[in-house]
Amino acid sequence: MCGILGYIGSKNATPYLLEGLKGLEYRGYDSAGLYVAGQGVIKRSGKVAKLEESIPSDFAGNAGIAHTRWATHGAPTELNAHPHCDQSKTIWLVHNGIIENYLEIREQLLGFGIACATETDSEVLAQLVGHHYAEGVPLEVAVGTALQEVRGAYGIAVASVREPDKLVAARFGSPLMLGIGDDGYYIASDASPLLAHTRNVTYLNDGEMAVLEKDSYEIMNLSRDVLDKKVEVLDWDIESAQKKGYEHFMLKEIMEGPEVIENTLRGRLDIENSTAKLGGLADVEERLKAIKRIIITGCGSAYYAGLVGELLIEEIAGIPVEVEIASELRYRRWTAVPEDTVLIAVSQSGETADTLEAIREAKKQGILTLGVVNAVGSSIARATDAGVYNHAGPEIGVASTKAFISQMTVFVLIALRLRELQNSTAYSNSTQEIIQELTRLPAYIRSILQNKDVVSDIAKRHADMRDALYIGRKFQFPIAYEGALKLKEISYIHAEAYGAGEMKHGPIALIDENFPTIALMPKDSLYEKTRSNIEEIRARGGKIIAVTSGDTQELSKITADIIMIPQTIECLQPILTTIPLQLFAYCVAHERGLPIDMPRNLAKSVTVE
Ligand code: F6R
């Protein structure tokens, strides 16, 4: 969604702002713009490349702000693009989030003779700051006063023509961080544009404002009480945020699967003592010993990872779990939630607005909140009481791939930890067996990736399909949903997922020779059942693509399209069946010539509701 950048220091701000805008393209946007002190503003609808073409070579200055906009209020036009200004064109402001009372404020501004020129809620904020920016009032005072009058979510960066050597940034509900470099200070809404300049960062919390000058900065609350903030070191390397020769980030991120699992597991398995260690949960282990119920939440792929987590925790630790989409959970009536309940929020970006709100609701109930988060220092990582980082590295492709397999892996670790903490003698495989198979996962994934051409051939043959059905049972049921989501979001093909056992209850009516079914059927306890389902589909003329570790000879009587995966224990098999589905979606979209890393209408980080 919207991306924010800012720089002030001894260098020319323009190159950082432009490179940064390119680095933020993956988040999804439809217009872009920048303001550089002493030069003015340039905005364009459409791609950053179009903006770049319009920037003269001497467009230089030591301070500036920039923005990629994902339209919410008003069409993606040049007029509605950021930066926005006040009536006197003194204040320039970029905004991420939604100002909920913008209509009310617009009315009030009209009463002061200030008329807005755009359809956006963001301009209202620029005008409001301008209104409070009377002669002699410092920028941060005007910003702090204006922000106390707005409701909603914001991450903002503000520049002033009157004070060209100052920038102000502030946040409430939308991510914003500062990079502290040797040659100046950087503002960014996510870490990736900072990596080439500095590793030292400070995350703004809700209600905080940063005042940046060329040689110094201060962080304060909106009443301007100065705060003592920690500077943290980003441990992501710059290469991991680049394509490394792959045509698309999505393919690169799928191919990183083996290392992602290694990184997620690193230092967390004690093979000798047959136990999993999770440093991020150490402080809450006493509470975890007594928990009786778990609620998992997240959106999209993170929610599907949560559905796998539900099965893992129930199977391995024997604790009852329910999973709810964050956008639903936040609005449910939370009836008498017992205090021995824990909420686990799953999020790659750590910035998803609905997930963050669900956490806030859980906190109101006084229950323990945990995060399974990839982006270190993100809002969800900080909003939760404790948590486990994925260590999957930056995920740039809009479709989540490596984060998803890492999320499932983290759930295995959490389930093992809970099993030990609760002394659970529950079900499923022994801890030793699970740990042993976890360590083999990278090799299994490597072998699937080596057979990428098999998936690619099948994808090419089916690339012109209009619909697809994904089916699976138990651990494969959420993977069916995830596979269907991957296909629809990057290839724009209608795809549905069903529990294989549901076929006879309705969806089998859809089946004909043009409606292929992707059947997830590793050789597990439900293999025979799913095999019966695909027989029924074939009997109605349906084409099958089987993802299996079963008997190829036997399956070849039903279908020629078989994708083999290695055999592991049932609870880890979903991590393996995911990989060919990611490759399949990628290859279909590639065959159809689509913009895989930036599919239409989608944003990487969904920071508004
Ligand atoms: C699908 C996808 C989305 C995200 C969802 C949650 O490929 O990427 O469905 O999984 O928007 O995002 P995070 O995990 O950042 O909270």
Side-chain angles (χ1 to χ4, degrees):
M1 297 217 143
C2 304
I4 288 185
L5 297 159
Y7 171 78
I8 186 162
S10 55
K11 295 191 302 188
N12 174 13
T14 311
Y16 164 69
L17 298 178
L18 267 178
E19 281 315 304
L21 287 176
K22 289 182 205 159
L24 290 179
E25 286 190 289
Y26 77 95
R27 294 166 62 106
Y29 73 105
D30 34 47
S31 57
L34 83 173
Y35 165 85
V36 170
Q39 298 293 340
V41 71
I42 302 182
K43 315 197 265 187
R44 291 290 176 267
S45 66
K47 293 291 167 199
V48 171
K50 199 165 137 200
L51 176 73
E52 190 173 20
E53 280 166 16
S54 322
I55 295 182
S57 54
D58 58 352
F59 198 80
N62 293 120
I65 54 176
H67 189 263
T68 48
R69 173 172 188 252
W70 191 84
T72 57
H73 294 62
T77 57
E78 194 165 304
L79 181 68
N80 288 334
H82 301 216
H84 287 292
C85 62
D86 68 330
Q87 202 153 259
S88 66
K89 293 196 164 48
T90 307
I91 295 293
W92 289 95
L93 176 146
V94 291
H95 167 229
N96 178 9
I98 292 179
I99 304 300
E100 284 164 6
N101 58 340
Y102 82 106
L103 288 173
E104 212 175 285
I105 295 176
R106 188 139 71 178
E107 279 302 303
Q108 283 168 13
L109 288 167
L110 265 181
F112 301 126
I114 301 170
C116 290
T118 75
E119 300 161 87
T120 66
D121 55 331
S122 309
E123 186 199 346
V124 168
L125 197 47
Q127 297 280 15
L128 190 62
V129 175
H131 171 64
H132 289 296
Y133 196 41
E135 200 57 44
V137 174
L139 181 60
E140 61 275 24
V141 175
V143 172
T145 313
L147 291 179
Q148 292 183 49
E149 292 171 20
V150 302
R151 277 199 319 274
Y154 56 79
I156 56 168
V158 193
S160 153
V161 175
R162 201 168 82 202
E163 294 174 85
D165 295 328
K166 189 188 273 182
L167 293 179
V168 173
R171 102 160 236 172
F172 193 91
S174 290
L176 210 56
M177 58 183 74
L178 302 184
I180 295 135
D182 297 333
D183 46 16
Y185 303 106
Y186 300 82
I187 302 169
S189 50
D190 87 40
S192 52
L194 296 178
L195 293 172
H197 303 276
T198 181
R199 295 297 155 89
N200 298 329
V201 297
T202 286
Y203 301 95
L204 289 189
N205 286 327
D206 284 349
E208 290 180 357
M209 182 166 74
V211 182
L212 313 173
E213 300 196 23
K214 272 190 185 145
D215 306 312
S216 65
Y217 74 97
E218 273 183 332
I219 298 180
M220 53 190 72
N221 60 24
L222 298 186
S223 316
R224 294 183 318 287
D225 302 314
V226 175
L227 309 168
D228 191 15
K229 294 275 294 189
K230 214 168 66 187
V231 174
E232 295 175 42
V233 180
L234 279 176
D235 63 357
W236 286 0
D237 62 82
I238 186 147
E239 288 80 34
S240 58
Q242 293 170 345
K243 274 193 212 157
K244 286 192 194 155
Y246 285 101
E247 195 177 343
H248 295 99
F249 277 112
M250 182 180 177
L251 182 59
K252 176 200 159 221
E253 288 161 4
I254 298 171
M255 299 305 279
E256 279 173 355
E259 297 87 68
V260 166
I261 302 294
E262 277 158 9
N263 290 340
T264 303
L265 295 177
R266 180 157 298 120
R268 290 169 165 172
L269 290 179
D270 181 345
I271 296 173
E272 214 166 287
N273 297 307
S274 236
T275 173
K277 298 176 292 181
L278 291 168
L281 300 186
D283 289 347
V284 295
E285 288 206 334
E286 277 312 305
R287 283 178 80 178
L288 289 177
K289 281 182 186 165
I291 57 148
K292 298 225 159 44
R293 175 182 169 223
I294 295 175
I295 305 170
I296 300 177
T297 197
C299 301
S301 296
Y303 164 72
Y304 298 141
L307 289 176
V308 178
E310 172 182 37
L311 295 169
L312 286 165
I313 294 173
E314 289 187 352
E315 287 275 314
I316 297 173
I319 303 168
V321 181
E322 62 182 285
V323 192
E324 179 65 286
I325 300 167
S327 52
E328 292 297 322
L329 183 62
R330 63 181 285 189
Y331 292 116
R332 262 172 69 168
R333 183 186 290 274
W334 295 62
T335 38
V337 183
E339 61 177 29
D340 49 15
T341 306
V342 59
L343 177 93
I344 307 182
V346 189
S347 177
Q348 186 286 127
S349 63
E351 302 295 349
T352 302
D354 284 319
T355 311
L356 209 43
E357 276 312 311
I359 294 166
R360 292 197 178 119
E361 284 303 315
K363 290 198 133 176
K364 284 189 205 153
Q365 306 296 317
I367 62 171
L368 180 66
T369 58
L370 305 180
V372 174
V373 174
N374 191 34
V376 175
S378 57
S379 304
I380 292 176
R382 286 174 300 129
T384 39
D385 298 309
V388 184
Y389 279 122
N390 290 100
H391 298 312
E395 190 177 68
I396 309 288
V398 162
S400 187
T401 52
K402 61 178 180 173
F404 180 72
I405 58 167
S406 169
Q407 285 158 351
M408 291 188 282
T409 309
V410 165
F411 272 116
V412 181
L413 296 173
I414 291 177
L416 288 174
R417 194 73 209 119
L418 288 173
R419 174 187 260 187
E420 189 173 337
L421 288 173
Q422 299 224 343
N423 216 354
S424 165
T425 48
Y427 333 96
S428 180
N429 312 78
S430 72
T431 300
Q432 196 182 16
E433 203 178 347
I434 297 171
I435 288 180
Q436 200 169 57
E437 279 303 287
L438 272 175
T439 60
R440 290 180 183 151
L441 280 180
Y444 293 152
I445 294 176
R446 243 171 236 125
S447 77
I448 300 173
L449 294 172
Q450 274 156 11
N451 288 325
K452 175 177 168 289
D453 289 351
V454 174
V455 182
S456 164
D457 285 349
I458 296 175
K460 278 184 189 146
R461 265 184 281 123
H462 290 274
D464 59 353
M465 64 193 158
R466 281 194 44 208
D467 314 274
L469 189 66
Y470 286 70
I471 58 168
R473 287 170 181 262
K474 198 175 174 183
F475 280 106
Q476 301 307 323
F477 174 58
I479 305 305
Y481 275 93
E482 171 62 7
L485 177 61
K486 286 292 91 92
L487 189 70
K488 52 188 146 189
E489 65 184 328
I490 59 164
S491 72
Y492 317 148
I493 292 171
H494 162 239
E496 290 197 46
Y498 267 96
E502 276 288 292
M503 288 305 288
K504 286 200 259 316
H505 300 284
I508 201 160
L510 292 170
I511 294 299
D512 64 21
E513 63 282 8
N514 300 315
F515 202 136
T517 300
I518 293 92
L520 308 177
M521 41 190 308
K523 193 94 187 177
D524 60 15
S525 60
L526 292 160
Y527 173 78
E528 309 293 339
K529 305 271 179 204
T530 309
R531 202 194 53 205
S532 304
N533 295 127
I534 64 168
E535 295 267 21
E536 290 155 7
I537 292 169
R538 194 179 67 115
R540 280 146 188 93
K543 291 184 186 134
I544 311 283
I545 299 168
V547 178
T548 186
S549 55
D551 182 343
T552 353
Q553 242 184 347
E554 180 200 48
L555 280 176
S556 62
K557 292 180 199 137
I558 305 175
T559 178
D561 290 339
I562 300 174
I563 300 170
M564 288 302 293
I565 54 163
Q567 178 71 40
T568 181
I569 49 178
E570 185 164 319
C571 65
L572 299 186
Q573 207 75 58
I575 300 173
L576 299 186
T577 44
T578 298
I579 308 288
L581 300 193
Q582 294 175 345
L583 284 171
F584 180 73
Y586 174 83
C587 295
V588 170
H590 192 272
E591 191 64 18
R592 291 164 78 106
L594 294 169
I596 292 174
D597 284 334
M598 283 180 273
R600 68 183 181 205
N601 306 338
L602 292 181
K604 180 66 182 162
S605 179
V606 186
T607 50
V608 293
E609 188 176 354

